[in-house]
Amino acid sequence: IQDIALEKLAKVCDLNELDQIRVQYLGKKGELTGVLRGMGALSKEERPVIGQVANEVREAIENRIEELKEELKQRVREAQFKAEKIDITMPGKKVASGKKHPLLKSIEELENIFMTMGFDIVDGPEIETVYNNFDALNSPEDHPSRDESDTFYITDNILLRTHTSSVQIRAMENRKPPIRIVSTGRTFRFDAVDDTHSPMFHQLEGLVVDKHVNVANLKHTIDLFIREIFGNQLETRFRPHYFPFTEPSVEVDVACFKCLGKGCESCGGTGWSMELLGCGMVHPKVLRNCGIDPEEYSGFAFGLGLDRIAMVKYGINNIRLLFENDKRFLQQF
Ligand code: PHE
């Protein structure tokens, strides 16, 4: 029995087989167990002799089984380690991370500048009343910007706002002076698309209303944030202009970002980046429309094109790039 058992054990190659052989010899109905059970039928003289042999055989088989068990377990473990081995010298997988859109970056930067200057950031709807977008802002009935060829009307009284100045009206109706707010968002005009125009674009609106607010405060505020966002060396130029809701009204040019005012190709030789910003002192009629007494309070307002700011700041020469969501473009920022 021992010879056959050991021979079989020599061929075992997994734990299942090993267990089968254990059962075959040492199990309850196993061959060796049968021999030990049959001992009762033996004579007194035979019993110790046979018993001793049988026990030796059992021990030999048991020991071999134990040894093999350890060996096989070890082999399984080694195979597992091999399969699970990690090559720490392999290059890692690239994690594709998103980038902030240049427009969002400009907006966040501007909002931070104005927050440190004490302005509240407020929101306004893109779908507006004709009243908030035009009437309350003292826009004359026959002003060309009201024309259907310039403005997206939804009904006679509702439109897509053509500027963020409508937020001024909401702020003055809902707050009491002193008012200091800034609001950014989308604006819409019936413009043909070219390198610098898009029917959907973005503006930032600012409004300050308090006692004794004057033009010097306006000029200082504009100068300050232009320097903050573009850097100290940039000069500004204030040109007289007309807006129905401000008097006096001014347009502000900023020295060309590339040539710093010397004149280069990107500014057409003028040295100035044009039409970044419109501003002025809030018209007394507009204050009155919102229930604020122009004898007691005065204010200034400003509106700027955010797309232009982002384009000047990041050297983008085509406004379409801002809205096409081309990954090759977006990944550069
Ligand atoms: N709303 C004006 C525009 O869209 C800009 C502006 C805002 C001008 C506030 C003066 C005051 O051109």
Side-chain angles (χ1 to χ4, degrees):
I1 289 179
Q2 180 173 352
D3 286 348
I4 296 173
L6 290 181
E7 208 175 294
K8 277 189 181 166
L9 283 172
K11 289 183 195 146
V12 160
C13 52
D14 71 40
L15 286 165
N16 272 343
E17 268 177 58
L18 186 65
D19 202 51
Q20 273 168 23
I21 294 172
R22 186 188 60 77
V23 172
Q24 189 187 340
Y25 289 96
L26 308 176
K28 269 187 194 152
K29 292 177 185 160
E31 285 177 31
L32 195 65
T33 316
V35 172
L36 288 165
R37 277 224 185 98
M39 297 256 290
L42 296 175
S43 65
K44 254 187 197 160
E45 297 76 38
E46 282 173 316
R47 226 177 274 163
V49 182
I50 300 291
Q52 195 188 348
V53 173
N55 274 328
E56 274 170 22
V57 170
R58 186 180 55 190
E59 220 168 278
I61 296 176
E62 262 176 9
N63 287 344
R64 188 69 197 126
I65 286 180
E66 276 310 306
E67 272 170 37
L68 277 174
K69 212 183 205 168
E70 277 312 305
E71 248 178 74
L72 286 172
K73 272 191 190 161
Q74 182 64 23
R75 233 184 284 162
V76 168
R77 229 176 283 143
E78 269 165 20
Q80 191 186 355
F81 285 159
K82 216 172 181 180
E84 291 177 1
K85 187 174 165 189
I86 295 169
D87 181 356
I88 57 164
T89 64
M90 288 233 298
K93 282 189 191 133
K94 236 194 189 161
V95 180
S97 73
K99 301 267 175 88
K100 275 189 185 168
H101 194 283
L103 203 53
L104 178 64
K105 278 168 85 161
S106 303
I107 289 174
E108 287 182 348
E109 200 178 328
L110 280 163
E111 285 182 346
N112 277 331
I113 293 170
F114 283 109
M115 274 194 277
T116 61
M117 288 163 82
F119 285 74
D120 283 352
I121 312 293
V122 303
D123 223 352
E126 292 165 8
I127 297 171
E128 258 296 4
T129 59
V130 171
Y131 176 80
N132 282 344
N133 193 85
F134 288 129
D135 300 331
L137 286 162
N138 193 37
S139 152
E141 286 288 333
D142 57 354
H143 195 275
S145 69
R146 288 197 184 226
D147 202 324
E148 271 181 54
S149 64
D150 286 296
T151 302
F152 293 102
Y153 284 91
I154 295 172
T155 68
D156 282 350
N157 303 315
I158 309 283
L159 45 65
L160 298 182
R161 66 179 175 188
T162 61
H163 50 188
T164 44
S165 296
S166 52
V167 185
Q168 284 184 40
I169 302 302
R170 291 174 175 270
M172 285 189 274
E173 283 176 347
N174 297 325
R175 292 168 177 243
K176 288 207 155 46
I179 298 170
R180 245 184 273 144
I181 59 107
V182 154
S183 186
T184 61
R186 290 195 184 98
T187 47
F188 306 85
R189 283 179 206 175
F190 218 116
D191 272 333
V193 180
D194 65 25
D195 285 0
T196 54
H197 293 87
S198 157
M200 187 278 291
F201 56 106
H202 298 77
Q203 284 192 335
L204 176 146
E205 192 82 9
L207 172 72
V208 172
V209 178
D210 201 352
K211 286 175 179 160
H212 315 300
V213 174
N214 59 39
V215 177
N217 302 143
L218 165 63
K219 198 160 185 293
H220 176 71
T221 306
I222 301 290
D223 271 347
L224 206 66
F225 92 79
I226 294 274
R227 300 230 157 115
E228 230 12 91
I229 185 145
F230 287 124
N232 254 335
Q233 66 281 60
L234 282 196
E235 274 186 55
T236 53
R237 175 171 80 174
F238 290 66
R239 272 185 292 114
H241 199 72
Y242 169 77
F243 298 107
F245 34 91
T246 47
E247 182 59 37
S249 300
V250 175
E251 244 183 4
V252 181
D253 301 327
V254 180
C256 172
F257 204 51
K258 275 217 177 111
C259 61
L260 305 179
K262 287 187 200 79
C264 68
E265 215 180 300
S266 84
C267 58
T270 62
W272 299 97
S273 300
M274 305 298 270
E275 288 174 43
L276 283 179
L277 195 151
C279 61
M281 301 305 292
V282 181
H283 199 292
K285 274 194 190 166
V286 175
L287 291 173
R288 219 175 279 126
N289 285 342
C290 301
I292 293 172
D293 181 3
E295 300 290 332
E296 193 180 358
Y297 292 103
S298 56
F300 64 79
F302 50 93
L304 56 119
L306 289 169
D307 314 277
R308 293 266 166 90
I309 297 264
M311 287 168 77
V312 171
K313 200 169 163 58
Y314 295 104
I316 300 161
N317 54 16
N318 187 335
I319 195 170
R320 281 171 275 225
L321 289 167
L322 292 176
F323 309 129
E324 278 171 350
N325 286 336
D326 187 329
K327 257 176 133 182
R328 289 168 301 179
F329 168 77
L330 295 174
Q331 266 161 359
Q332 295 175 38
F333 300 97

